[in-house]
Amino acid sequence: MQSLKEYLQQKNYRPLTVEAHLKNVSYFTEWIKQSGLQEIENTTYNDLLSYVQYEQKRNVDVATINLRLGSISKYFDFLKQQDESIIYNPARNLRIKGKAKTVVEQPLKYEELEGLYNAYKALQKQSLHQIKTDLAHKRNIVIVGLLVWQGLHSGELQKLEVDHINLQEGIIYVPSTARSNSRELRLTTQQILSLHHYIHEVREKLCPKENELFPGDLHNIVNLLTEELKAINPKIKNALHIRGSVILHWLRQHSKRQVQYLCGHKHIDSTERYKVQEMETLINQLSKHHPFS
């Protein structure tokens, strides 16, 4: 298992993900021993079907079985790399049909995302500490723009620096995090104007630390901001709900690989989950307008 662990680490999986894959593979290898199969390298598609039936009898749900099959598939990819005589991955295309888990509940439409930005920007902030509140509001306008147009999460917002913004080219560089890859994204005209005002007039008054674009704890800032956004659109659950809605919107316009880059997913599997939901939504919409008899 140590070699498999090193293989997964080389693929840049997060530590918790690596441990999950190892645990899933251990369930399978234990079943192999119990079933009397001699060599795991000789496992066939039918053997895997037997394993699936074994898990179903133990009342393991469909989603968990599919996660385990995904780990087993990675295990066979590892074995193929170790032994050139192994050319077949029996788990490659094996998945059990069942109700797919919804990635984004009640996703926001693009018009709602854009409306969210415009409505928040138009808010008039009133407080006993009016100046400080106005500064925070102008900062938050920039953050809302990065949520609804670039789909950033709080970890990425926290790592942004002033130098990552190229106002002349209209581009933002998003640094990598434990959850996402680095990338360059286009800014909208509205964002450029707000960013220019924020960087050159607002940021310094918010006690900036070194070159940080947004001083302070972005996790708390985004949580408080989300509560304000819920007052504008009660459908909003949290910042990840906004990000998921943006990803689903991108999938209607771009290929999976393009969307993987745009949202910084380290692995295409993460993007695929959103694609499945988008396809199911499309099928449901078509069936409403063109029902099959």
Side-chain angles (χ1 to χ4, degrees):
M1 282 293 180
Q2 182 60 35
S3 296
L4 174 60
K5 182 177 182 178
E6 293 172 357
Y7 167 80
L8 293 171
Q9 290 172 335
Q10 290 172 0
K11 294 292 183 180
N12 294 321
Y13 287 105
R14 297 173 66 187
L16 288 178
T17 303
V18 171
E19 293 304 317
H21 284 314
L22 293 175
K23 188 173 183 179
N24 287 336
V25 170
S26 71
Y27 290 133
F28 176 63
T29 55
E30 184 61 30
W31 174 82
I32 288 286
K33 294 177 183 177
Q34 294 176 6
S35 302
L37 297 176
Q38 297 300 314
E39 296 181 358
I40 196 168
E41 293 84 353
N42 296 327
T43 301
T44 65
Y45 184 84
N46 287 335
D47 291 332
L48 282 176
L49 291 179
S50 297
Y51 170 69
V52 168
Q53 291 173 348
Y54 164 78
E55 295 286 32
Q56 288 174 327
K57 289 178 181 178
R58 296 175 60 243
N59 295 319
V60 178
D61 61 68
V62 170
T64 301
I65 292 175
N66 282 330
L67 285 174
R68 292 181 182 177
L69 288 173
S71 298
I72 293 168
S73 179
K74 289 177 174 56
Y75 182 40
F76 277 99
D77 284 339
F78 161 71
L79 293 176
K80 286 170 60 180
Q81 186 184 77
Q82 299 295 305
D83 187 347
E84 294 182 358
S85 66
I86 301 175
I87 59 174
Y88 175 56
N89 181 344
R92 169 67 66 186
N93 298 310
L94 177 58
R95 295 296 182 273
I96 308 304
K97 292 183 179 180
K99 183 175 178 57
K101 180 180 179 181
T102 301
V103 183
V104 187
E105 296 284 353
Q106 294 184 301
L108 303 172
K109 297 178 181 178
Y110 177 76
E111 294 76 15
E112 292 178 293
L113 291 167
E114 191 172 43
L116 192 64
Y117 175 84
N118 292 329
Y120 186 81
K121 186 176 182 180
L123 283 179
Q124 295 297 316
K125 310 298 288 184
Q126 295 184 357
S127 169
L128 293 174
H129 306 285
Q130 185 68 46
I131 295 177
K132 188 72 173 181
T133 303
D134 284 342
L135 292 174
H137 180 58
K138 290 173 181 177
R139 174 201 63 200
N140 289 352
I141 289 172
V142 174
I143 292 176
V144 174
L146 294 171
L147 292 176
V148 304
W149 279 307
Q150 283 77 35
L152 302 191
H153 56 72
S154 58
E156 293 170 331
L157 292 169
Q158 188 77 71
K159 296 190 71 172
L160 288 176
E161 298 180 357
V162 175
D163 294 341
H164 293 154
I165 308 297
N166 187 332
L167 293 174
Q168 185 173 358
E169 298 294 331
I171 292 175
I172 178 173
Y173 169 77
V174 183
S176 63
T177 71
R179 296 167 50 194
S180 54
N181 289 327
S182 62
R183 56 210 185 273
E184 287 190 346
L185 302 173
R186 299 295 305 181
L187 296 165
T188 68
T189 302
Q190 290 171 283
Q191 287 179 283
I192 293 174
L193 294 175
S194 295
L195 274 163
H196 184 277
H197 178 66
Y198 171 72
I199 291 172
H200 295 287
E201 298 184 35
V202 176
R203 176 180 165 275
E204 289 185 1
K205 300 174 184 177
L206 288 173
C207 302
K209 180 182 178 181
E210 298 180 355
N211 201 33
E212 289 179 329
L213 183 62
F214 300 115
D217 185 338
L218 262 293
H219 182 72
N220 289 334
I221 291 172
V222 171
N223 282 344
L224 292 172
L225 173 58
T226 303
E227 293 303 314
E228 293 185 284
L229 296 178
K230 287 179 181 178
I232 298 173
N233 188 336
K235 286 175 62 177
I236 294 172
K237 297 176 177 61
N238 49 44
L240 289 179
H241 179 232
I242 297 174
R243 172 175 163 83
S245 300
V246 173
I247 293 173
L248 288 173
H249 170 67
W250 282 338
L251 282 167
R252 300 183 194 110
Q253 300 179 306
H254 310 292
S255 70
K256 284 186 294 184
R257 287 295 180 185
Q258 288 174 308
V259 174
Q260 180 187 8
Y261 175 81
L262 289 172
C263 59
H265 283 157
K266 288 182 177 292
H267 306 286
I268 193 65
D269 294 358
S270 300
T271 314
E272 181 66 36
R273 293 187 296 123
Y274 291 89
K275 183 63 176 178
V276 169
Q277 177 174 337
E278 179 56 27
M279 289 301 296
E280 288 184 346
T281 301
L282 179 59
I283 291 171
N284 290 337
Q285 290 174 345
L286 288 173
S287 65
K288 288 179 182 178
H289 293 89
H290 306 284
F292 295 99
S293 58

